[in-house]
Each structure stands twice: as structure tokens, then as C-alpha cells.
Amino acid sequence: MEVLVKWVGGATVILTIGNLKIAIDPVLCDKGTVQDYFWFKSTRIEQPIYHEDDFENIDLWLITHNHEDHIDSKGKTKISKSSKIISNQNALRVLKDISSENLSVLHWHDAEEFELKDYTIEVEAIPAVHGVNPLSAFFAGRGNGYYLTVMKGDEQVKIYFTGDTVYKKRIIRSLRNRSVDMMVANMGAAKQGSWIMTLTLDAEMLQKMIAELDPTMVLPVHYGTFAHYREPAEKMQEIEDERIKMVAVGGKMKWSSGASKR
């Protein structure tokens, strides 16, 4: 299957597979916007880059958690009532004014299978542990990663969105013996070096994840966009692994998983 990837900035990614469009975590506030996370404030330092039609006809939205750098008021306006929406529990209060019969909540290890257009899609919620400090992770709340299997005829592609997490063995166990064609990894080492401690993947953790899960391709996102994303792109570029594909904000990339057969 061929996948067209567009990175809007932050955690916001749009995947197009044939006539199917899948998007995750719409955060579209302008550069200079200050967000308040109670323990700290953070400024958006890069402008999101997109065209209005990028968000037209989104078939499936994935919402990992309720933090404002993953879903904000401007981004929420791009979620159509006709879209299928998969969310974690704590994002419901953000989505409460989106009246959609197509909204499903998945807790860790829950899965749902459904049909969209000519595709069969299975989505499973994978644990996302939002911090190396257990106290910080507790107060940050449970987020979801998502493991998607998109199937059409005899072809399929398996995509793992890490969500905001750090490296934990429980995550690896959740994905043991599963193939990962594409891993969309939330990077940035958020709050690294502060008393809160690292909240998202850094380059070292990414290498461990790759070694354990053996994905065919890795797309790093969620770096550079906000001031609390501490680790720069250069750290990932130093990793000698041709499976890591870097895309600029607003950039697109075509990638093929090959003729993966069921």
C-alpha cells in the first residue's frame, strides 16, 4: 500500500491511503501562542503549515489525549461530524461539543474494527506513558498510542502512532510479535532537564524502540514546534538508521509498504 504523509507540525499528521484520509491530534494555533499546562507555560515557536483542503474529507480522526498541544480550539474546528473519531477518555471533555454518533472511546488494549469506504480498519489503543517520572506521568494522565491495521483486498499496512510516551517495557509487550510497517514517533524530549523530567521520546529512547519493534519505516514528529520540546532534530539525524525518514513541517512524503499480504 502507498501512504502519502503530511506533517502539519507538532503531533498533527495526515495520512492518505488511496481515497482514505486519516489524521491525528489537530493543534493549529499560530506561532507565538502561549499554552498553559498548569505546571508550566509553553510558546508555539513554529507556525503550522497546511492548506484548508488538507482537512477536508477526513475519514478517521485519532485523538491521543487532551493536552492543548494535541487538540486546541482551532484544530477542533477541523473535525467534521461525519468523520469517525477514536479518542481516549480524558479528551472527551474537549470533544463534548462535537456531537458525533461516530465517536468511540478506547481504553488501553481496547480495539475496534470498522469499515470506511473500501477499507477495513482495526484500531487498538496502546499504552502511552507520559513521563519518566511516575508522578509527572500520573498527573499528565493516561494517553493513547494507536496501532492501526488498514486492509483492502489482500493488501494491508500496519501503523503505530506512539502518542506522547517514553520508552517503557509495557509498551513493547503490548506490541510483541506484531509487525509495524510505519511508526509515527512523538519526539522532542519534552521538558527534558527540568524538575518535571522527560515527558516524550528522545533519540536514545527511539533507538531502543526501533531495536525492540523493528519497524520498516520511522517518521519522527512532535519536535521543534513548542518551546517545551527540548531535543532538536539534529539528535535524530545523528542516528545511523536509514529507516528514519525526516519530513519538514508542511512537507509531504510518499512511502510504500510494499505488497504486504494477509
Side-chain angles (χ1 to χ4, degrees):
M1 281 186 175
E2 186 174 82
V3 182
L4 176 64
V5 180
K6 176 160 186 173
W7 182 32
V8 173
T12 309
V13 179
I14 303 168
L15 304 181
T16 304
I17 303 171
N19 64 341
L20 182 73
K21 289 180 76 174
I22 300 169
I24 188 166
D25 285 353
V27 53
L28 300 176
C29 60
D30 291 326
K31 179 180 178 179
T33 299
V34 178
Q35 296 183 344
D36 190 341
Y37 298 91
F38 183 72
W39 286 345
F40 63 92
K41 294 181 180 180
S42 185
T43 303
R44 184 159 196 158
I45 57 178
E46 292 178 340
Q47 186 72 13
I49 301 176
Y50 62 95
H51 300 287
E52 288 300 324
D53 60 2
D54 288 333
F55 292 104
E56 291 180 359
N57 304 314
I58 300 292
D59 298 292
L60 172 63
W61 274 103
L62 302 172
I63 309 300
T64 61
H65 63 299
N66 65 347
H67 290 170
E68 200 176 7
D69 61 333
H70 287 258
I71 181 168
D72 64 3
S73 58
K74 189 172 182 179
K76 193 168 62 171
T77 66
K78 305 303 180 186
I79 302 177
S80 169
K81 293 179 181 179
S82 63
S83 300
K84 173 69 175 175
I85 305 166
I86 302 289
S87 177
N88 85 324
Q89 181 70 40
N90 67 27
L92 282 184
R93 59 192 173 98
V94 182
L95 297 168
K96 64 183 178 182
D97 56 346
I98 296 179
S99 176
S100 174
E101 297 177 357
N102 297 320
L103 173 62
S104 298
V105 173
L106 294 185
H107 302 281
W108 288 357
H109 308 298
D110 287 349
E112 183 176 348
E113 184 175 294
F114 46 89
E115 305 289 329
L116 284 176
K117 295 180 175 174
D118 297 326
Y119 296 85
T120 299
I121 301 173
E122 184 179 84
V123 182
E124 181 179 344
I126 302 299
V129 182
H130 203 350
V132 297
N133 179 341
L135 184 62
S136 297
F138 173 79
F139 283 109
R142 281 194 174 195
N144 283 354
Y146 291 108
Y147 181 74
L148 271 67
T149 303
V150 180
M151 298 165 278
K152 184 177 183 180
D154 290 333
E155 291 188 305
Q156 64 179 356
V157 62
K158 296 177 180 290
I159 303 165
Y160 169 45
F161 295 90
T162 68
D164 275 10
T165 192
V166 293
Y167 175 88
K168 292 288 183 180
K169 281 291 186 181
R170 69 183 306 168
I171 298 169
I172 302 305
R173 288 195 297 270
S174 297
L175 293 163
R176 184 161 290 153
N177 300 320
R178 313 228 200 154
S179 61
V180 177
D181 296 313
M182 175 188 293
M183 184 168 85
V184 181
N186 285 14
M187 302 298 298
K191 296 304 290 181
Q192 188 178 67
S194 73
W195 66 270
I196 295 172
M197 301 172 68
T198 308
L199 297 173
T200 58
L201 294 170
D202 62 17
E204 182 178 348
M205 287 187 247
L206 178 64
Q207 290 180 84
K208 291 172 70 175
M209 293 274 278
I210 292 172
E212 296 270 15
L213 299 177
D214 192 27
T216 304
M217 189 271 271
V218 180
L219 176 69
V221 297
H222 196 277
Y223 60 88
T225 309
F226 285 91
H228 67 290
Y229 301 172
R230 297 289 176 81
E231 187 177 77
E234 287 76 16
K235 285 291 186 180
M236 288 168 285
Q237 293 167 341
E238 291 171 1
I239 302 173
E240 295 182 358
D241 193 322
E242 62 183 12
R243 292 173 291 181
I244 298 175
K245 308 296 183 184
M246 306 289 285
V247 178
V249 174
K252 293 182 178 181
M253 176 187 68
K254 280 187 178 180
W255 176 80
S256 177
S257 64
S260 179
K261 301 293 185 180
R262 284 190 279 168

